[in-house]
Amino acid sequence: MNVRILIMTVAMAATAGAVWAKLPAAPADPAKAAEAKAKADEAAKKDADLLAKYQDKAVANYRRNKGIRGPAPKVGGK
């Protein structure tokens, strides 16, 4: 019985290694890579702009609900 368990364990380990093996990555086309990078950069910039917009909106809501008056302080000394 123990030999059967040992053989099955070894067989499953060998099979698992073959199943989880990864194929090598396909060679990338430089033009497509540059286009994808430009698209990702544009999306990141758009996301950053939206984040800043909604952060400003949240600060304005907080200040309005707390009754804080006056201009919002500048962050970063700019």
Side-chain angles (χ1 to χ4, degrees), residues 9-21:
T9 303
V10 170
M12 285 190 285
T15 304
V19 169
W20 286 326

Side-chain angles (χ1 to χ4, degrees), residues 32-48:
K32 286 184 181 179
E35 181 181 337
K37 184 179 184 309
K39 187 181 278 188
D41 290 344
E42 183 179 328
K45 183 178 180 196
K46 183 179 177 184
D47 289 344

